[in-house]
């Protein structure tokens, strides 16, 4: 009976990965390309540090979708795992997806902090991050994450799996395995970015509510309100998308797989579903901006019709 249930769950996971993963991949890459076109075409955005962070985030999110989600669809949905047959791809995939994910989260955090500073009551903080500093911050953190991923190039190797009975791409260092489970997945790509974005997002929201009572140039005021609303709604959306993934990941790590009171296969199934939904973080921002900001919709039409027509 349990074998039949497990087979059904695997079949369901395969179907969900294919029929939900492929649309997320397609609309995600398309949306991110449109984000890049808009942010790079309009001078208003090119000179704005928050928009710069969102542009860089769009580039690395395309990389994450193509490297991580696409390969997951092929591996889970079509049972073709290149990481099991190529040591180079085994190391390269995990290295690149770590760099892309951490760079993306960093840009999201920086964009939120930037909007908090840009909407501050004090002129000094409003001018604290400019486009030059934004370049420097992105280069600095990108180098940090490139160096951070080096252990993945060392300790991801092909090893014989006792479950599959064949060579699989796995971590061969137990200490690094613990770090990936708790330090990287749970903290760096989960709890930490959520805490930072929620905190500074709330503070930015508070600042924006004070804007009508301050003497601020109209263009600057409208841009700050636009970017802050775009970023804040994305933060709320991210929480709903990322939290289920973190919870499932945490439960899988801490619970005893041999415990009779816990159905680990159900938990693994829930984790597989949460992982697919988790990719909405990398795919959704363009559609959030379209829904939230009338000004962004007008800018999209202007770029597509007036500039590139």
């Amino acid at each position: 009976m349990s074998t039949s249930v497990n087979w059904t769950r695997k079949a369901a996971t395969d179907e969900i990965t294919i029929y939900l993963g492929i649309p997320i991949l397609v609309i995600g890459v398309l949306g991110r390309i449109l984000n890049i076109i808009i942010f790079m075409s309009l001078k208003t955005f090119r000179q704005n540090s928050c928009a710069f962070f969102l542009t860089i985030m769009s580039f690395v999110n395309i990389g994450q979708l193509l490297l991580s989600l696409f390969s997951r669809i092929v591996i889970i949905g079509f049972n073709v795992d290149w990481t099991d047959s190529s040591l180079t791809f085994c190391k390269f995939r995990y290295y690149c997806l770590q760099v892309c994910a951490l760079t993306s989260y960093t840009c999201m955090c920086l964009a939120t902090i930037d909007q908090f500073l840009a909407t501050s009551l004090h002129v000094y903080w409003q001018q604290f991050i400019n486009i030059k500093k934004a370049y420097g911050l992105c280069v600095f953190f990108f180098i940090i994450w490139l160096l951070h991923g080096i252990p993945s190039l060392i300790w991801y190797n092909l090893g014989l799996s006792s479950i599959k009975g064949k060579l699989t791409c796995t971590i061969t260092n137990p200490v690094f395995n613990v770090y990936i489970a708790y330090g990287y997945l749970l903290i760096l790509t989960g709890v930490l970015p959520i805490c930072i974005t929620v905190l500074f997002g709330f503070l930015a929201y508070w600042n924006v509510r004070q804007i009508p009572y301050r003497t601020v140039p109209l263009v600057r005021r409208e841009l700050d309100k636009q970017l802050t609303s775009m970023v804040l709604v994305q933060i709320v959306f991210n929480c709903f998308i990322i939290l289920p993934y973190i919870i499932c990941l945490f439960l899988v790590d801490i619970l005893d797989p041999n415990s009779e009171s816990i159905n680990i296969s159900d938990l693994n199934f829930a984790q597989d579903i949460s992982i697919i939904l988790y990719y909405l973080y990398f795919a959704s921002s363009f559609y959030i901006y379209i829904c939230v900001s009338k000004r962004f919709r007008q800018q999209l039409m202007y770029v597509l019709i007036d500039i590139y027509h």
Side-chain angles (χ1 to χ4, degrees):
M1 179 69 178
S2 63
T3 303
S4 175
V5 171
N6 289 338
W7 184 88
T8 303
R9 287 197 187 98
K10 185 184 182 308
T13 301
D14 294 349
E15 295 292 316
I16 291 170
T17 301
I18 293 173
Y19 294 110
L20 189 57
I22 291 177
I24 291 174
L25 175 65
V26 173
I27 66 173
V29 171
L30 176 61
R32 289 299 179 176
I33 291 173
L34 289 172
N35 268 352
I36 293 168
I37 291 173
I38 294 170
F39 288 139
M40 296 186 71
S41 298
L42 298 176
K43 186 178 180 181
T44 304
F45 288 134
R46 289 199 306 270
Q47 296 177 341
N48 184 273
S49 51
C50 179
F52 176 75
F53 293 134
L54 297 180
T55 304
I56 299 300
M57 189 172 74
S58 292
F59 276 109
V60 294
N61 282 358
I62 290 174
Q64 185 73 353
L65 288 169
L66 293 176
L67 282 169
S68 185
L69 179 55
F70 176 71
S71 58
R72 184 174 183 83
I73 293 169
V74 173
I75 293 169
I76 304 296
F78 298 98
N79 200 29
V80 178
D81 194 346
W82 297 317
T83 62
D84 290 349
S85 57
S86 169
L87 179 60
T88 301
F89 188 71
C90 166
K91 293 175 179 291
F92 176 78
R93 178 177 185 261
Y94 287 102
Y95 176 78
C96 289
L97 67 86
Q98 282 185 33
V99 172
C100 288
L102 290 172
T103 304
S104 175
Y105 281 118
T106 300
C107 287
M108 188 68 215
C109 291
L110 289 173
T112 310
I113 294 171
D114 179 89
Q115 281 310 107
F116 159 66
L117 295 174
T119 56
S120 172
L121 293 169
H122 304 288
V123 176
Y124 172 79
W125 293 117
Q126 291 175 15
Q127 300 171 349
F128 187 76
I129 298 182
N130 52 39
I131 193 67
K132 218 172 179 183
K133 288 182 181 177
Y135 287 142
L137 284 169
C138 284
V139 171
F140 172 76
F141 280 108
F142 187 66
I143 292 173
I144 292 294
W145 300 136
L146 286 175
L147 296 175
H148 168 273
I150 290 176
S152 295
L153 296 175
I154 300 171
W155 286 314
Y156 269 100
N157 291 292
L158 297 180
L160 185 62
S161 171
S162 58
I163 299 175
K164 296 182 179 180
K166 65 175 186 177
L167 289 176
T168 59
C169 184
T170 186
I171 298 172
T172 54
N173 183 294
V175 176
F176 183 60
N177 191 40
V178 172
Y179 168 74
I180 288 295
Y182 294 99
Y184 169 69
L185 291 173
L186 194 60
I187 303 300
L188 290 181
T189 66
V191 175
L192 188 60
I194 283 182
C195 290
I196 291 174
T197 54
V198 168
L199 172 62
F200 284 98
F202 173 78
L203 294 173
Y205 173 73
W206 176 263
N207 286 343
V208 166
R209 293 190 64 181
Q210 311 305 314
I211 285 179
Y213 307 103
R214 288 184 270 156
T215 304
V216 181
L218 181 61
V219 174
R220 170 69 184 274
R221 181 173 63 188
E222 290 303 313
L223 180 61
D224 284 340
K225 289 171 66 176
Q226 177 192 6
L227 288 172
T228 303
S229 64
M230 287 160 55
V231 169
L232 288 181
V233 174
Q234 187 168 4
I235 290 170
V236 175
F237 180 82
N238 292 348
C239 288
F240 283 104
I241 292 300
I242 297 172
L243 281 176
Y245 168 70
I246 296 173
I247 293 169
C248 288
L249 186 69
F250 181 69
L251 291 176
V252 168
D253 285 336
I254 66 168
L255 295 178
D256 181 6
N258 298 316
S259 174
E260 295 182 0
S261 61
I262 301 165
N263 193 327
I264 295 298
S265 62
D266 283 342
L267 192 54
N268 287 331
F269 178 69
Q271 185 185 26
D272 288 335
I273 303 304
S274 70
I275 289 173
I276 289 296
L277 295 177
Y278 163 76
Y279 284 106
L280 286 170
Y281 161 76
F282 301 101
S284 60
S285 67
F286 170 76
Y287 306 98
I288 291 173
Y289 302 159
I290 286 292
C291 294
V292 168
S293 174
K294 179 182 178 181
R295 194 166 184 243
F296 190 80
R297 294 194 293 271
Q298 293 171 341
Q299 288 162 336
L300 171 65
M301 297 305 295
Y302 172 75
V303 169
L304 295 182
I305 297 175
D306 293 349
I307 295 182
Y308 293 109
H309 185 266

